[in-house]
PDB file of all heavy atoms in Angstrom:
ATOM      1  N   VAL T 241      18.422  15.177   4.805  1.00 92.00           N
ATOM      2  CA  VAL T 241      17.008  14.760   4.794  1.00 92.00           C
ATOM      3  C   VAL T 241      16.763  13.688   5.859  1.00 92.00           C
ATOM      4  O   VAL T 241      15.785  13.885   6.616  1.00 92.00           O
ATOM      5  CB  VAL T 241      16.641  14.153   3.391  1.00 92.00           C
ATOM      6  CG1 VAL T 241      15.358  13.532   3.401  1.00 92.00           C
ATOM      7  CG2 VAL T 241      16.651  15.268   2.398  1.00 92.00           C
ATOM      8  N   LEU T 329      -9.062   8.987  -3.698  1.00 90.00           N
ATOM      9  CA  LEU T 329      -9.889  10.080  -3.601  1.00 90.00           C
ATOM     10  C   LEU T 329      -9.232  11.276  -4.369  1.00 90.00           C
ATOM     11  O   LEU T 329      -9.995  11.994  -5.153  1.00 90.00           O
ATOM     12  CB  LEU T 329     -10.082  10.536  -2.213  1.00 90.00           C
ATOM     13  CG  LEU T 329     -11.019  11.848  -1.857  1.00 90.00           C
ATOM     14  CD1 LEU T 329     -12.415  11.526  -2.446  1.00 90.00           C
ATOM     15  CD2 LEU T 329     -11.078  12.113  -0.400  1.00 90.00           C
ATOM     16  N   LEU T 331      -6.132  11.040  -6.050  1.00 92.00           N
ATOM     17  CA  LEU T 331      -5.121  10.588  -7.093  1.00 92.00           C
ATOM     18  C   LEU T 331      -5.615   9.510  -7.979  1.00 92.00           C
ATOM     19  O   LEU T 331      -4.894   8.480  -8.243  1.00 92.00           O
ATOM     20  CB  LEU T 331      -3.755  10.050  -6.260  1.00 92.00           C
ATOM     21  CG  LEU T 331      -3.151  10.974  -5.278  1.00 92.00           C
ATOM     22  CD1 LEU T 331      -2.106  10.298  -4.502  1.00 92.00           C
ATOM     23  CD2 LEU T 331      -2.671  12.321  -5.938  1.00 92.00           C
ATOM     24  N   ALA T 353      19.753   5.568   2.525  1.00 87.00           N
ATOM     25  CA  ALA T 353      21.123   5.892   2.015  1.00 87.00           C
ATOM     26  C   ALA T 353      21.993   6.459   3.163  1.00 87.00           C
ATOM     27  O   ALA T 353      23.146   6.311   3.087  1.00 87.00           O
ATOM     28  CB  ALA T 353      20.997   6.842   0.898  1.00 87.00           C
ATOM     29  N   SER T 373      -5.434   3.128  13.821  1.00 87.00           N
ATOM     30  CA  SER T 373      -6.636   2.883  13.084  1.00 87.00           C
ATOM     31  C   SER T 373      -7.228   1.491  13.445  1.00 87.00           C
ATOM     32  O   SER T 373      -8.391   1.216  13.525  1.00 87.00           O
ATOM     33  CB  SER T 373      -6.289   2.961  11.608  1.00 87.00           C
ATOM     34  OG  SER T 373      -5.925   4.218  11.303  1.00 87.00           O
ATOM     35  N   LEU T 374      -6.243   0.516  13.610  1.00 83.00           N
ATOM     36  CA  LEU T 374      -6.717  -0.924  13.914  1.00 83.00           C
ATOM     37  C   LEU T 374      -7.321  -0.937  15.282  1.00 83.00           C
ATOM     38  O   LEU T 374      -8.258  -1.725  15.578  1.00 83.00           O
ATOM     39  CB  LEU T 374      -5.596  -1.884  13.791  1.00 83.00           C
ATOM     40  CG  LEU T 374      -5.033  -2.075  12.419  1.00 83.00           C
ATOM     41  CD1 LEU T 374      -3.805  -2.978  12.369  1.00 83.00           C
ATOM     42  CD2 LEU T 374      -6.067  -2.617  11.509  1.00 83.00           C
ATOM     43  N   VAL T 398       1.153   4.403   1.672  1.00 95.00           N
ATOM     44  CA  VAL T 398       2.490   5.168   1.747  1.00 95.00           C
ATOM     45  C   VAL T 398       3.618   4.260   2.132  1.00 95.00           C
ATOM     46  O   VAL T 398       4.748   4.367   1.724  1.00 95.00           O
ATOM     47  CB  VAL T 398       2.191   6.303   2.819  1.00 95.00           C
ATOM     48  CG1 VAL T 398       3.494   7.019   2.925  1.00 95.00           C
ATOM     49  CG2 VAL T 398       1.140   7.177   2.378  1.00 95.00           C
ATOM     50  N   GLY T 407      14.108   0.037  -1.088  1.00 88.00           N
ATOM     51  CA  GLY T 407      14.648  -1.170  -1.829  1.00 88.00           C
ATOM     52  C   GLY T 407      15.305  -0.850  -3.045  1.00 88.00           C
ATOM     53  O   GLY T 407      16.096  -1.702  -3.631  1.00 88.00           O
ATOM     54  N   SER T 424      11.412  -3.504   6.870  1.00 91.00           N
ATOM     55  CA  SER T 424      10.466  -4.429   6.070  1.00 91.00           C
ATOM     56  C   SER T 424       9.936  -5.336   7.004  1.00 91.00           C
ATOM     57  O   SER T 424       8.735  -5.784   6.972  1.00 91.00           O
ATOM     58  CB  SER T 424      11.207  -5.046   4.920  1.00 91.00           C
ATOM     59  OG  SER T 424      11.682  -4.090   4.048  1.00 91.00           O
ATOM     60  N   LEU T 470      -8.273  -3.060   2.167  1.00 92.00           N
ATOM     61  CA  LEU T 470      -7.176  -3.083   3.189  1.00 92.00           C
ATOM     62  C   LEU T 470      -6.374  -4.299   3.085  1.00 92.00           C
ATOM     63  O   LEU T 470      -5.154  -4.287   3.061  1.00 92.00           O
ATOM     64  CB  LEU T 470      -7.677  -2.784   4.536  1.00 92.00           C
ATOM     65  CG  LEU T 470      -6.637  -2.856   5.696  1.00 92.00           C
ATOM     66  CD1 LEU T 470      -5.491  -1.860   5.459  1.00 92.00           C
ATOM     67  CD2 LEU T 470      -7.301  -2.560   6.990  1.00 92.00           C
TER      68      LEU T 470
END
Side-chain angles (χ1 to χ4, degrees):
V241 171
L329 180 62
L331 303 176
S373 297
L374 296 176
V398 182
S424 299
L470 177 56

